[in-house]
């Protein structure tokens, strides 16, 4: 179809193979035309499995392919900014995985690269495309919860493999970068504001050096608070609770929302502490990665603007930076 954007993929990353690429292939506006790996055989294997017509043995070759309009960058975190800049300079639009960079200072380079190239660039926070989050923000804005003052977020999984990118401190591993970024991005999304100060406790794995348990407290204007805990070494769980003066909203699977069953949120006015007043809302089954690919592709075609420009990603990184500083200093830090 002519209005599909032609995408190329940088690497055989697991998230691409298993989630993002199949979703984009099923979507209406994306065509995956090529995939590159540092290893040509690996590229050929994954491209073959996914029905992607062209495989390249280097990222450079993919970026030199004039047929490709947009690049998807799911490289490890330390390669997000360098390869996103190379892709922009090669004339490609870029959708880059989260977290956008290692630091806000590094992320800022993307603003200049976007200006130089005239191409689009965005951070792949697919959750903000999901109807459950759009609806949660609508409910908050409509005042259904009363005055919303607190968000509490828990996001944990258990991963001890030292070979996983998440357990490599020198390439941007650790829980705050990998999943704390969601807690921060979604609180900023719901509050529609930036945190003014941050306190944090960070516990690191003694061998791998990555943060394995991070808890943070953030103040937002108007006396609103985010508290979150992320861990890479605790039993898997994820939940966001948004609390107002009249009611509370829970997003049951806030981040890895399923693509085969409806997402669910629960509204509870607290009249019965055992949930007697709780009302659940289910949403039509969607694939948030397909929605993300389509939204970016429509922006490439000039049909809509990107809802979250790269400045938003830089801002999220500033909050991550401040959280790391607060964990190290034991003091309040300002993003
Ligand atoms: N949005 C989401 O839901 C979501 C979920 C999971 C992960 N992510 C993000 O996606 C990115 C990749 O995560 P992943 O779990 O898919 O990682 P992964 O499976 O380890 O894939 C990373 C890929 O990068 C390439 N690479 C290049 N230099 C590398 C290096 N020095 N070390 C390791 N790999 C290198 C490798 O591909 P080749 O060998 O083929 O070149 C590798 O397969 C991360 O930024 C992560 O935060 C997002």
């Amino acid at each position: 179809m002519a209005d599909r954007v032609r995408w190329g993929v940088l690497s055989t990353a697991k998230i691409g193979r298993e989630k993002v690429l199949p979703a984009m292939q099923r979507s209406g506006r994306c065509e995956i035309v090529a995939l590159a790996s540092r290893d040509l055989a690996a590229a050929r294997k994954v491209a073959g499995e996914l029905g992607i017509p062209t495989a390249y043995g280097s990222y450079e070759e993919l970026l030199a392919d004039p047929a490709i309009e947009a690049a998807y960058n799911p490289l490890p975190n330390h390669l997000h900014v360098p390869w996103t800049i190379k892709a922009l300079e090669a004339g490609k639009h870029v959708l880059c995985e989260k977290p956008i960079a290692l630091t806000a200072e590094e992320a800022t380079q993307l603003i200049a690269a976007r200006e130089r190239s005239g191409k689009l660039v965005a951070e792949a926070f697919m959750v903000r495309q999901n109807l459950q989050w759009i609806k949660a923000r609508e409910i908050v804005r409509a005042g259904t919860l009363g005055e919303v003052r607190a968000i509490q977020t828990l996001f944990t999984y258990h991963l001890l493999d030292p070979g996983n990118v998440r357990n490599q401190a020198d390439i941007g591993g650790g829980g705050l970068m990998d999943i704390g970024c969601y807690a921060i991005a979604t609180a900023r999304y719901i509050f529609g504001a930036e945190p003014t100060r941050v306190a944090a406790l960070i516990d690191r794995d003694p061998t791998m050096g990555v943060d394995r348990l991070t808890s943070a407290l953030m103040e937002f204007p108007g006396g609103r608070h985010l508290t979150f805990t992320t861990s890479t070494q605790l039993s898997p769980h994820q939940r966001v609770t948004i609390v107002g003066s009249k009611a509370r909203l829970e997003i049951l699977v806030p981040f890895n929302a399923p693509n085969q069953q409806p997402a669910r949120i629960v509204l509870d006015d607290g009249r019965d502490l055992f949930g007697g007043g709780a009302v659940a809302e289910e949403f039509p089954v969607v694939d948030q990665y397909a929605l993300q690919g389509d939204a970016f592709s429509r922006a490439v075609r000039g049909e809509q603007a990107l809802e979250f420009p790269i400045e938003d990603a830089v801002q999220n990184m500033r909050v991550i930076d401040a959280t790391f500083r607060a964990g190290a200093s034991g003091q309040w830090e300002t993003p």
Side-chain angles (χ1 to χ4, degrees):
M1 250 189 285
D3 66 351
R4 285 185 194 237
V5 168
R6 294 184 303 278
W7 287 80
V9 182
L10 297 174
S11 88
T12 57
K14 181 167 184 237
I15 181 62
R17 275 185 346 252
E18 294 188 358
K19 303 272 188 205
V20 177
L21 304 182
M24 288 171 80
Q25 288 175 315
R26 284 191 301 269
S27 79
R29 303 301 303 270
C30 308
E31 185 184 357
I32 312 290
V33 298
L35 178 140
S37 170
R38 296 167 299 173
D39 172 356
L40 179 58
R44 284 195 175 132
K45 180 166 182 289
V46 172
E49 284 163 3
L50 292 175
I52 298 169
T54 305
Y56 289 113
S58 73
Y59 309 146
E60 287 87 352
E61 283 172 85
L62 183 140
L63 294 183
D65 180 343
I68 293 166
E69 301 173 85
Y72 167 58
N73 178 355
L75 291 166
N77 299 339
H78 70 306
L79 299 177
H80 286 176
V81 168
W83 280 99
T84 293
I85 291 177
K86 284 184 214 247
L88 289 168
E89 286 173 348
K92 315 299 181 197
H93 305 282
V94 188
L95 178 65
C96 180
E97 271 304 340
K98 40 55 62 176
I100 197 69
L102 296 179
T103 63
E105 192 186 358
E106 189 196 22
T108 306
Q109 297 174 38
L110 294 174
I111 297 174
R114 176 194 60 193
E115 300 308 312
R116 283 197 306 275
S117 67
K119 298 291 165 184
L120 299 179
V121 54
E123 185 175 29
F125 270 129
M126 72 298 176
V127 295
R128 294 184 300 208
Q129 302 295 327
N130 198 307
L131 202 51
Q132 66 174 350
W133 276 103
I134 295 168
K135 190 62 193 282
R137 187 170 65 170
E138 272 172 26
I139 289 170
V140 168
R141 285 180 176 170
T144 312
L145 306 182
E147 200 184 344
V148 172
R149 299 283 299 275
I151 299 178
Q152 192 180 54
T153 297
L154 195 55
F155 194 173
T156 55
Y157 58 76
H158 198 266
L159 176 78
L160 297 177
D161 173 10
N164 190 288
V165 290
R166 289 161 190 75
N167 281 330
Q168 297 177 39
D170 55 335
I171 64 170
L176 177 55
M177 294 286 271
D178 191 46
I179 49 179
C181 63
Y182 287 110
I184 294 166
T186 50
R188 294 174 51 244
Y189 176 82
I190 291 293
F191 284 144
E194 300 301 333
T196 48
R197 58 178 180 154
V198 178
L201 284 172
I202 295 181
D203 178 59
R204 290 183 183 275
D205 182 280
T207 311
M208 300 185 288
V210 292
D211 64 297
R212 61 180 175 182
L213 176 63
T214 292
S215 300
L217 169 62
M218 302 194 178
E219 183 178 51
F220 284 73
R224 295 176 293 173
H225 299 172
L226 164 68
T227 50
F228 76 77
T229 292
T230 54
S231 177
T232 58
Q233 295 184 15
L234 289 176
S235 168
H237 181 64
Q238 45 188 269
R239 184 66 49 90
V240 172
T241 306
I242 303 168
V243 195
S245 52
K246 291 201 266 182
R248 135 187 141 256
L249 183 68
E250 286 193 22
I251 305 181
L252 301 189
V253 189
F255 307 116
N256 299 112
N259 65 358
Q260 285 167 339
Q261 62 194 83
R264 265 177 118 209
I265 62 175
V266 175
L267 199 64
D268 191 338
D269 63 9
R271 78 182 75 159
D272 166 2
L273 292 177
F274 290 93
V279 180
E281 184 172 352
E282 282 196 354
F283 300 99
V285 176
V286 292
D287 189 319
Q288 54 191 358
Y289 300 105
L291 295 174
Q292 168 178 269
D294 278 354
F296 192 91
S297 295
R298 283 196 298 275
V300 166
R301 288 284 176 267
E303 295 166 21
Q304 64 181 49
L306 285 176
E307 189 183 355
F308 299 97
I310 203 65
E311 284 81 353
D312 179 89
V314 174
Q315 188 55 36
N316 215 60
M317 237 20 255
R318 285 199 184 104
V319 183
I320 294 173
D321 286 356
T323 309
F324 277 123
R325 287 201 305 275
S329 69
Q331 307 288 323
W332 287 102
E333 297 287 346
T334 308

